[in-house]
Amino acid sequence: MEAILEICCGLDVHRDNIVACITKGALNCKPTSEIRKFSALQHGLKSLKEWLHVYPPFA
């Protein structure tokens, strides 16, 4: 399979929490992933937003 993106985010949304995974890397290298779990309440959504803003495409 050919890589077409250098960074992407996947979300697994549940009633009580959200699991987010960011996968990033150069197209010609093996990507790295970071997974974090957030509360589905307002404070958790704010934390998710702040975490995503660390990565330039999501800022």
Side-chain angles (χ1 to χ4, degrees), residues 37-55:
K37 187 175 181 179
F38 300 90
S39 168
L41 299 177
Q42 189 172 9
H43 69 276
L45 298 176
K46 183 177 178 184
S47 296
L48 172 59
K49 177 184 166 187
E50 291 170 357
W51 180 63
L52 287 174
H53 275 99
V54 170
Y55 298 96

Side-chain angles (χ1 to χ4, degrees), residues 14-59:
H14 299 271
R15 186 187 72 201
D16 297 327
N17 60 56
I18 299 169
V19 180
C21 175
I22 293 204
T23 301
K24 61 182 178 167
L27 296 178
N28 60 347
C29 298
K30 184 177 178 180
T32 60
S33 295
E34 182 177 353
I35 299 173
R36 291 208 184 169
K37 187 175 181 179
F38 300 90
S39 168
L41 299 177
Q42 189 172 9
H43 69 276
L45 298 176
K46 183 177 178 184
S47 296
L48 172 59
K49 177 184 166 187
E50 291 170 357
W51 180 63
L52 287 174
H53 275 99
V54 170
Y55 298 96
F58 306 114

